[in-house]
Each structure stands twice: as structure tokens, then as C-alpha cells.
Amino acid sequence: PHLHALLAGPGGTNVARLQTVRAVHTLFPLDRASSAVVVVYEGFNPDIDRIADPVARERATRDLLRKTLEEFRAVVAADSSHVTRVVTVPPSVQQALATPAAVNALLAAAEADSDADGARVAVRLGLVAPVLETEGTRSERKKNEGQLLPDQVEVKGLAAAVDRVVDGLARRAQDAAERERLYAFTAEVTVPQPLMPRVVGRSRDNIKRLQTDHDIEVSIADNHATSVSLLTLKGRVESVAAARDELLAMIERLADQTADVISVAANIHKALIGAGGRYVKRLEDKYAVRIQFPSSRARAADKDKDSDRDAAVTALGPDQIQITGGRKGVDAAKAELLELAAYEIEHSHT
């Protein structure tokens, strides 16, 4: 494919000459991974048209097309401006190039993507080459090209353009190696099995947030035969340390979570809640707890989407109130609610 512009000539002058002089039209594939070139006789060559015998005319037509293809092969054989280089590129870098868009971006950065001046370069990846091919070009490649090793990349085109692309690949490999060095620090965090679902979060939301916020990788090793799971954090030293501290704080908070149910006459629940829920909201904010009345269980479940604050929700009776949160906060909120309930009972109906 990288030689199509050579066959076409500067500005397509060569194929235009063949069309004018021989009435032969040259077709190049739209698929830039294909090396097929088709020549078609258009039927307006006087040297062939004057042949009366149909068999002789067909033979002359085929000879004309064969001659054209032989000239193309001679042009390719005589060309010394195009080269083929096979360079070593880590598979991780090749994976990042495993789409046509990524390869085109590489070529554009190296100014090796122009068909007009013949500077287009063909790149074949040893690890993921089939990803970039259609079924037709895959069989064509297997027939015409040798198999690359997984850590090899083949670059074909004008020598200067090939050098630029190879330099670009080398920079990418160097950047990848530097990133791997910088992001190679690891740390492990053990999580008690009962807390694991809330640490991970719904649809792994907490893990995804950690990875995004701290630019790290998180892998999970669940061992149901033990009482703990293992989270492995990988990234830059400072990022891993910050993510680890955040995880440990979350685990500590979750381990302290508790739920307590108190019994208070239903007829004074409204007084405990306060106008517009003002009093109960103040207690929740003050002690970092959740206070649920029998009529508020559905509301509370909808309100809190963070699984790290969830606790087992008891089926509340009409005279019950459930408080969930850290142990100290639950105890303090419980004491204040019971004090207010006692006050309401003492001063009601007096």
C-alpha cells in the first residue's frame, strides 16, 4: 500500500498518462491495508480497436494490461527511495496502537500520512495486526508477508518518513517505560469480607473513583476461604499512599458502623422530627448518623446512594426509631432523642 503513490506518480501523472496513451485505468483500493492494484482496459485504444478478429483483440488487450502491470513491477523493483524496517516495540505500546485511528494519529504526528506526495507509511503491528485488517486484507497479508513476532513492528514507506515514524515509536516506547517505572509502586490493603461489598461499592463505583481520583490501578483478590480480601494498589508513590489512606479511613468508618432501635410512642414522632424534618436533620448532621422513622424508611433508602453508610435496616414497628452510623454518634443521637421524647411526654396533655 505504501507504494501506491509511487505507481500513481506525482499528482497522479503516471496513471493519467496510462489512461491517455493506452486507455488503461488504474484502480487503487480504498482499504489502505490492501496491496491490490487493478488495471482496466477502457476500450478506446486505436491499436487494439483496429483488430477485427475478436480473439486476437482480446489477446492484445490482455497483453496490454500485462505490460502495464510489468511496468509497475519494474518501477517498484528499481525504486530505492522506499524502505522496510522492522523494529522492536513493547506489546503494551502496540496495544495502544490497536485501532486505525491510533495508527493514523502516529502517522500524522510523523507527517507520514499524506498520499499526495507519496509520504504515506504502512505500519504493521506484530502483536495486534489482525485488529486493523479486514478479512480480505488478512488473507492477502498472509500470502505476501512474513509473520512478525509479538514485539515487532514493520514500517514501510519513503526512507525519511519511515525514519520519522520509527522515531515516534521509539519515543512512545520510552514514555511507556518511564511511566511503568514511575507507576510501579504497589501497596496492599486488607478488607474484612463483610465490609467488602461496601468498600467496592455498587458496580465497583468506589474502586473506579479511587482509580480516577488518584490515577492508580486497583486489583481485587477475593479469597472466600479466609475472612479478608486483598486490594492491591499500583501507581506513583504519592498517589498510592493517598489512596491507601482513603481506603483505610473508609474501612475504619465502616467497621464502626452500627444500628440501634429505640422505642418511642408513635404520637410524638412528629415532635421529634420537627417542622420540615428540621430537628432530625440537625441530629443527623451533628452526629453523622441516619435516623429512620417507620414512615421514612423508603425515603432514607432513596436518599443515601453511598453503600459505605448503609447498615442493616430493621423492619420498624410503629413505635420504633432506628439510628445508624458510628457507635459514638449513634449513642449521642440516641441519648438526645430519648431526652427530647421524655420532655415531650412530660409536657404533653398538661
Side-chain angles (χ1 to χ4, degrees):
H2 64 291
L3 296 173
H4 291 173
L6 174 67
L7 300 182
T13 54
N14 191 33
V15 292
R17 177 185 60 81
L18 291 173
Q19 190 168 11
T20 300
V21 175
R22 298 180 182 176
V24 172
H25 186 60
T26 307
L27 298 174
F28 297 104
L30 293 176
D31 182 359
R32 287 171 172 164
S34 174
S35 60
V37 176
V38 178
V39 289
V40 180
Y41 176 60
E42 295 184 321
F44 304 104
N45 187 318
D47 294 336
I48 294 179
D49 291 345
R50 69 168 60 99
I51 301 174
D53 180 46
V55 175
R57 186 187 305 117
E58 181 178 351
R59 184 167 55 250
T61 301
R62 292 184 178 277
D63 288 342
L64 180 66
L65 296 177
R66 188 178 301 110
K67 178 182 178 181
T68 301
L69 290 176
E70 288 174 353
E71 289 181 4
F72 281 164
R73 295 188 184 99
V75 169
V76 171
D79 176 65
S80 60
S81 61
H82 289 73
V83 298
T84 298
R85 291 181 61 182
V86 176
V87 295
T88 300
V89 178
S92 59
V93 176
Q94 293 191 46
Q95 288 286 3
L97 294 171
T99 64
V103 172
N104 289 338
L106 169 69
L107 298 181
E111 299 180 354
D113 61 339
S114 173
D115 288 320
D117 56 7
R120 173 166 289 278
V121 168
V123 176
R124 186 160 64 99
L125 310 178
L127 179 66
V128 290
V131 176
L132 306 176
E133 300 174 325
T134 64
E135 189 62 37
T137 56
R138 185 177 299 115
S139 60
E140 183 181 318
R141 173 184 63 79
K142 290 180 178 179
K143 179 176 67 175
N144 296 326
E145 300 175 332
Q147 183 64 46
L148 295 173
L149 296 176
D151 64 345
Q152 291 181 328
V153 173
E154 181 185 75
V155 187
K156 294 182 176 181
L158 284 173
V162 166
D163 288 344
R164 293 195 298 270
V165 173
V166 169
D167 288 344
L169 287 169
R171 285 193 297 272
R172 285 175 178 245
Q174 184 177 0
D175 291 345
E178 179 65 12
R179 178 179 174 83
E180 180 63 25
R181 185 186 69 80
L182 291 175
Y183 285 72
F185 182 77
T186 61
E188 295 180 344
V189 176
T190 56
V191 183
Q193 283 284 5
L195 301 182
M196 194 62 181
R198 285 180 280 169
V199 170
V200 172
R202 293 183 179 92
S203 303
R204 295 172 62 97
D205 285 345
N206 290 340
I207 299 300
K208 292 174 183 176
R209 180 184 55 76
L210 277 175
Q211 293 181 137
T212 300
D213 291 351
H214 299 286
D215 190 22
I216 61 170
E217 297 176 7
V218 180
S219 58
I220 303 174
D222 277 324
N223 186 352
H224 297 291
T226 68
S227 60
V228 297
S229 294
L230 186 66
L231 298 183
T232 301
L233 317 181
K234 181 179 180 181
R236 299 174 70 99
V237 174
E238 60 274 18
S239 299
V240 169
R244 181 176 181 274
D245 290 344
E246 185 174 334
L247 271 173
L248 292 175
M250 180 191 300
I251 293 168
E252 182 179 2
R253 185 173 67 252
L254 291 174
D256 187 52
Q257 292 284 291
T258 187
D260 205 346
V261 176
I262 60 176
S263 295
V264 176
N267 64 327
I268 63 170
H269 283 190
K270 185 176 181 181
L272 299 183
I273 293 172
R278 181 174 59 186
Y279 185 69
V280 74
K281 288 177 182 177
R282 183 184 68 79
L283 287 178
E284 288 181 330
D285 293 341
K286 181 179 179 180
Y287 297 114
V289 296
R290 173 77 47 72
I291 301 174
Q292 295 173 276
F293 291 81
S295 62
S296 66
R297 279 174 294 163
R299 173 189 62 79
D302 289 338
K303 174 183 175 183
D304 186 12
K305 301 299 183 182
D306 292 331
S307 58
D308 64 353
R309 291 190 63 194
D310 288 344
V313 178
T314 306
L316 298 179
D319 293 341
Q320 292 181 319
I321 302 170
Q322 180 169 279
I323 311 168
T324 59
R327 167 54 62 187
K328 290 183 179 179
V330 168
D331 289 344
K334 174 182 175 181
E336 212 171 308
L337 275 173
L338 290 175
E339 182 180 348
L340 178 60
Y343 176 86
E344 289 294 331
I345 292 172
E346 179 181 351
H347 292 81
S348 61
H349 309 297
T350 58

